Amino acid sequence: MPDLLLELRSEEIPARMQRKAAGDLRKMLTDGLVEAGLTYEAAREYWTPRRLTLDIRGLTARSKDISEEIKGPSTSAPEQAVQGFLRKAGLASVTEAHVHSDPKKGDFYVAHISKPGRAAEEIIAELVPGIIRNFPWPKSMRWGPASAKPGSLRWVRPLQSILCTFGPETEEPVVVDFEIDGIRSGNVTYGHRFHAPDAITVRRFDDYVSKLEAAKVVLDADRRKEIILADARNLAFANGLDLVEDDGLLEEVSGLVEWPVVLMGEFEEAFLAIPAEVIRLTIRANQKCFVTRPQGVDDALSNRFILTANIEAKDGGKEIAHGNGKVVRARLSDALYFWTTDQGDLPDLDQFEASAKKFGLDLGKPLDQRMARLDHLGVTFHAKLGTQGERVERIARLAEELAPIVGADPVLARRAAVLAKADLTTEVVGEFPELQGAMGRKYALMQGEHPSVAAAIEEHYKPQGPSDYVPSDPVSIAVALADKLDTLVGFWAIDEKPTGSKDPYALRRAALGVIRILVENGVDVRLVPFFAQMLRLHRAAQLGRAFSAKMSLSFFDLSKSLLAHAASSPVGADVLDGQVGEHLERYQQGQIPQEDEVGALYDLLSFFHDRLKVYLRDQGARHDLIDAVITSQSDDLLQIVRRVEALGSFLDTEDGKNLLAGTKRAANILAAEEKKKTTVAETVEPALFRQESEKSLFAAVNQAEKQAGEAIQNDDFSGALLALSVLREPVDSFFEYVLVNDEDQAVRANRLALLARIRAATGQVADFSRIAG
């Protein structure tokens, strides 16, 4: 079977685009080949900074001949219908059609279409130019004199040559000939830009790879990564150091070189006074280099770094390492300036006194100064959600209330929340936004904050995904929950919810973060009351902003009183709306229409339920058990998880399986009768019992319902299901000896009421009717 080799060689492709582009090339070409009637055995893509390569093995040499019949209208059909059939079938006249007969339908036209197969070379020559012209680069460019013409070729960087050969291993492959914007395909490629710039003639993939290797090009990106990592480890070890590995940087660097040469550079030890994270990011972001640390030391760096060159220099790379060292020193000088500046006093402290008083800040401390400046400057969090200062005030209040629930000191929780966003105005975070939180923690420790407060400043952003770690310190838990709940409720209050695949504010991630924090730390809390409180605070702020704009008043003075009122109001939004309404009455155009508060709260709760289902399914929970446990009012997520776990374990037992069958039978009978509007007694009347099985079941239900209820009060769901397991035999006996639909209407209604008691008893834990089996 023939093989296809395709290479698209260009100027340097940005490293971040290479892997996806090679995958896109493979998919587009293989999809096109299959659609054209060809098949293949295997396909693999390769990439370097200057080329995308595709190796397709076992491609059929020709597509199959196709014969098909297109049924047309009756021979007596109107001319318009006949002409439409001819156009569809591609026939010039009706004489080219065949007439078929049917005993019922009579004579009708049929077109016999035969399509001969096409050579693979012809199909490839037709496909590839179209793929190149329509390639989905995130960004592309035009170049040269042809760029002035409409419809000229676009590519990520100027396309220089196309290699395309096709043929079996036993024969000389042929060049698949095509041209696009003056670039004609051939069997020629080029090696390393400096070491081997001359043309290389290739036949098929195997000699293509070997000739490129001889020309200082390692085609396989994974192999380049292996070379870089192994050489970097060895070079660090030889100098008494350990490499600080970085998978993301390794991926990027492997896309910057075709012939990796690992070197070591250095900078002055004085720069090691800068935090390790800042040094690492500075060197990583600006020079794409790895940092090292002394062997056996995890919390400090050395003044040596590892760089990857794309050339074997005659001097062994000394000048390359020296040049990189000069750039690194300049960047670290900037970082040192940022680091020292953040530890000093701000020049305009007298302007921050109001903000300091508002948050209880000590303007003698650098981090407190930054928080005061953040509030004073009115830095916007979101146009419809106000400033960062307003947000911090809400988070601090909620963290203080959550603290006793999660076992944290309310004073520490409030302090941590107040300082949580302070590092956003520091010089280091301004340069390296990815260090937000981490720098806040360092600055907090330097000014003597409690270790839990410092940890919470960093950890309140966690977890940032399904694989990120979950904070376990109680203060961190309180602040992290408050931060995420404020974000979620805020965007729900302004109706900015995720839609389809769009989630610009990462609200799904925030909800998953809340779920993981609660579940993995065993935090038992009802969410809806906190949703309601945050919604009232957001609504108060919205109303306050509208009113202050109308009255030209200070928003801080107005919103402070509104927020205080929201907290003290026993009925929440209604009273608050009334207060603001009195002020807005004279300014009708400034009034803000109120949404249905309850609807917004439970819509957000439903969103949490959807995220929780995804989380539990990823943990291996059965979807039907999740649906059986969750109700629209279930707002204690930990209890939901514990119920699902207990239910899964119970249903794995013989008692669980049998009770499920009996309970589902009872629920189905009851549902069918309720649908027919059959009378069901409000209570069970023992005097109407006629069978011992009825009496036994009634006694068992009374006992199980009571014991299960007591167990649930103690959050012992396994105990509740154990209590319900005593129903197994009485239920089985009842259905064996008792006819529910008795002729006596009173007896039937009483027996249906007994079934309703079974449903109610088991329903304390889950809706058994929703469980498969």
Side-chain angles (χ1 to χ4, degrees):
M1 298 281 283
D3 300 331
L4 172 66
L5 171 63
L6 174 66
E7 179 202 73
L8 305 177
R9 189 179 64 87
S10 67
E11 296 289 341
E12 278 72 8
I13 305 167
R16 67 183 184 278
M17 298 183 187
Q18 292 168 17
R19 182 179 292 272
K20 183 179 184 303
D24 288 340
L25 177 62
R26 176 182 55 79
K27 186 178 187 307
M28 293 174 75
L29 185 52
T30 55
D31 285 356
L33 294 172
V34 171
E35 188 176 341
L38 300 178
T39 61
Y40 63 95
E41 294 176 358
R44 184 178 174 186
E45 69 274 23
Y46 299 86
W47 62 92
T48 78
R50 299 176 63 214
R51 66 199 80 220
L52 299 179
T53 299
L54 188 57
D55 173 30
I56 300 181
R57 301 293 177 95
L59 185 65
T60 48
R62 187 178 183 84
S63 62
K64 293 181 179 180
D65 296 339
I66 298 175
S67 296
E68 62 177 330
E69 292 186 354
I70 301 177
K71 186 177 179 181
S74 167
T75 53
S76 60
E79 181 63 21
Q80 188 175 0
V82 174
Q83 291 301 320
F85 161 67
L86 295 177
R87 285 194 298 271
K88 177 182 177 182
L91 302 181
S93 71
V94 74
T95 58
E96 296 180 5
H98 296 258
V99 176
H100 288 201
S101 297
D102 184 275
K104 295 182 179 180
K105 298 181 179 180
D107 295 343
F108 58 91
Y109 292 115
V110 175
H112 293 183
I113 307 297
S114 294
K115 294 182 179 178
R118 301 169 63 199
E121 298 98 307
E122 181 184 344
I123 294 172
I124 295 165
E126 182 180 287
L127 278 175
V128 175
I131 290 172
I132 293 174
R133 286 196 177 278
N134 298 294
F135 202 80
W137 291 110
K139 292 183 178 179
S140 59
M141 62 180 289
R142 294 181 293 178
W143 64 92
S147 64
K149 301 176 183 178
S152 60
L153 177 64
R154 301 185 68 93
W155 199 245
V156 62
R157 295 292 185 269
L159 187 62
Q160 295 178 327
S161 68
I162 301 171
L163 182 151
C164 191
T165 65
F166 178 73
E169 292 185 7
T170 56
E171 299 177 12
E172 187 70 18
V174 299
V175 171
V176 180
D177 185 48
F178 57 87
E179 181 181 351
I180 178 168
D181 270 32
I183 303 173
R184 182 167 291 281
S185 59
N187 60 353
V188 174
T189 188
Y190 296 82
H192 191 281
R193 183 187 294 277
F194 302 110
H195 289 305
D198 296 333
I200 302 169
T201 301
V202 299
R203 299 171 65 249
R204 53 177 55 87
F205 184 75
D206 292 339
D207 75 306
Y208 168 76
V209 172
S210 60
K211 288 181 177 180
L212 279 181
E213 189 93 14
K216 306 293 187 183
V217 175
V218 178
L219 182 66
D220 189 343
D222 290 333
R223 184 160 167 261
R224 292 198 302 276
K225 289 169 67 173
E226 291 171 2
I227 293 170
I228 295 168
L229 184 59
D231 289 355
R233 285 172 175 168
N234 292 337
L235 184 57
F237 182 78
N239 286 271
L241 304 169
D242 285 333
L243 177 71
V244 178
E245 297 185 14
D246 185 329
D247 291 339
L249 179 59
L250 181 61
E251 173 77 14
E252 184 175 8
V253 170
S254 71
L256 296 175
V257 296
E258 290 193 317
W259 189 253
V261 178
V262 174
L263 306 170
M264 178 173 282
E266 64 179 332
F267 55 86
E268 287 75 7
E269 291 188 357
F271 288 120
L272 295 177
I274 306 170
E277 298 94 328
V278 179
I279 294 175
R280 184 176 178 180
L281 268 177
T282 299
I283 294 176
R284 183 190 198 278
N286 293 293
Q287 289 304 105
K288 313 302 180 189
C289 296
F290 298 89
V291 294
T292 62
R293 60 188 172 215
Q295 289 181 350
V297 179
D298 293 331
D299 57 352
L301 298 180
S302 78
N303 66 325
R304 305 284 185 89
F305 61 91
I306 301 290
L307 61 116
T308 308
N310 189 37
I311 188 173
E312 290 182 348
K314 294 179 180 179
D315 64 353
K318 291 181 180 179
E319 281 301 315
I320 296 174
H322 177 69
N324 275 266
K326 289 174 64 177
V327 178
V328 166
R329 290 184 198 100
R331 297 299 186 182
L332 289 178
S333 295
D334 292 340
L336 182 61
Y337 168 78
F338 297 146
W339 168 244
T340 54
T341 300
D342 286 340
Q343 297 170 55
D345 289 337
L346 293 172
D348 44 2
L349 288 180
D350 57 322
Q351 299 180 25
F352 306 152
E353 292 181 359
S355 294
K357 183 178 179 181
K358 173 183 176 182
F359 289 102
L361 298 169
D362 180 358
L363 291 181
K365 297 181 177 181
L367 201 58
D368 291 56
Q369 294 176 21
R370 272 68 186 178
M371 179 58 225
R373 180 168 68 173
L374 181 69
D375 180 65
H376 173 75
L377 294 177
V379 177
T380 300
F381 169 63
H382 184 280
K384 295 181 181 179
L385 294 176
T387 67
Q388 287 282 10
E390 295 167 36
R391 183 165 184 256
V392 167
E393 188 169 11
R394 291 191 301 268
I395 293 171
R397 295 184 61 165
L398 184 56
E400 198 171 9
E401 292 191 25
L402 285 167
I405 298 174
V406 301
D409 183 335
V411 175
L412 293 181
R414 178 172 181 81
R415 176 66 174 167
V418 166
L419 295 179
K421 308 298 181 183
D423 66 351
L424 295 179
T425 60
T426 62
E427 299 290 337
V428 170
V429 173
E431 181 73 10
F432 302 110
E434 55 266 56
L435 288 180
Q436 64 181 14
M439 295 311 302
R441 181 177 193 165
K442 286 188 176 295
Y443 293 139
L445 289 172
M446 290 178 66
Q447 69 178 34
E449 298 296 335
H450 191 284
S452 291
V453 170
I457 293 173
E458 178 177 17
E459 294 179 346
H460 83 280
Y461 291 108
K462 304 293 184 178
Q464 294 188 324
S467 58
D468 197 11
Y469 77 89
V470 173
S472 56
D473 184 287
V475 176
S476 297
I477 292 171
V479 181
L481 286 174
D483 177 68
K484 291 169 177 58
L485 290 174
D486 177 77
T487 298
L488 287 158
V489 175
F491 282 104
W492 245 253
I494 62 173
D495 199 29
E496 291 277 357
K497 309 168 190 175
T499 56
S501 61
K502 295 181 180 179
D503 186 10
Y505 305 111
L507 301 183
R508 293 187 180 98
R509 185 176 69 187
L512 178 61
V514 171
I515 290 167
R516 291 190 63 202
I517 290 170
L518 294 177
V519 172
E520 295 177 28
N521 285 293
V523 178
D524 205 346
V525 61
R526 294 191 60 200
L527 290 178
V528 167
F530 290 102
F531 289 171
Q533 178 183 348
M534 298 306 292
L535 185 60
R536 289 195 295 269
L537 293 177
H538 277 286
R539 183 169 291 171
Q542 290 170 1
L543 292 167
R545 280 190 291 272
F547 181 55
S548 64
K550 287 290 181 183
M551 298 293 290
S552 299
L553 296 177
S554 162
F555 169 70
F556 170 74
D557 293 336
L558 179 64
S559 63
K560 183 176 180 181
S561 65
L562 292 177
L563 291 169
H565 184 83
S568 61
S569 171
V571 292
D574 292 338
V575 172
L576 178 62
D577 292 351
Q579 181 196 22
V580 177
E582 291 175 5
H583 295 293
L584 295 179
E585 200 169 73
R586 292 167 295 169
Y587 301 92
Q588 295 294 324
Q589 293 182 357
Q591 293 186 10
I592 301 176
Q594 300 302 308
E595 298 179 0
D596 176 14
E597 180 175 339
V598 175
L601 297 179
Y602 282 96
D603 182 56
L604 177 55
L605 182 60
S606 176
F607 178 73
F608 266 91
H609 287 167
D610 291 340
R611 295 296 95 203
L612 180 61
K613 289 177 182 178
V614 173
Y615 171 76
L616 288 175
R617 287 168 189 161
D618 288 343
Q619 301 297 311
R622 285 169 45 183
H623 69 89
D624 57 329
L625 302 190
I626 301 170
D627 292 337
V629 166
I630 292 181
T631 69
S632 60
Q633 283 76 39
S634 301
D635 66 337
D636 189 326
L637 305 185
L638 181 63
Q639 280 202 10
I640 293 174
V641 173
R642 287 174 174 169
R643 285 174 189 252
V644 171
E645 291 172 348
L647 189 57
S649 298
F650 176 66
L651 292 177
D652 285 338
T653 67
E654 199 63 30
D655 280 346
K657 294 173 183 175
N658 290 330
L659 179 61
L660 172 63
T663 304
K664 285 176 69 72
R665 184 176 177 184
N668 291 338
I669 292 172
L670 192 59
E673 296 302 320
E674 287 174 339
K675 188 175 181 180
K676 293 188 289 186
K677 301 191 182 302
T678 303
T679 301
V680 180
E682 293 185 4
T683 59
V684 178
E685 179 54 62
L688 293 174
F689 291 158
R690 295 181 178 178
Q691 303 283 344
E692 282 299 319
S693 297
E694 293 178 274
K695 297 176 183 179
S696 299
L697 179 57
F698 182 59
V701 168
N702 286 334
Q703 176 189 342
E705 194 170 41
K706 179 183 177 183
Q707 292 178 350
E710 291 172 351
I712 289 171
Q713 287 295 320
N714 296 321
D715 292 339
D716 181 8
F717 302 108
S718 295
L721 287 164
L722 183 63
L724 292 172
S725 67
V726 303
L727 293 176
R728 173 195 167 181
E729 291 185 8
V731 168
D732 290 346
S733 178
F734 177 84
F735 284 120
E736 184 174 356
Y737 297 109
V738 176
L739 178 64
V740 175
N741 287 322
D742 193 89
E743 294 180 357
D744 187 320
Q745 185 175 350
V747 172
R748 180 170 67 247
N750 198 56
R751 289 174 178 172
L752 290 172
L754 189 53
L755 298 186
R757 286 289 302 279
I758 297 172
R759 183 173 66 181
T762 56
Q764 294 178 96
V765 178
D767 182 354
F768 276 55
S769 68
R770 306 191 71 174
I771 302 174

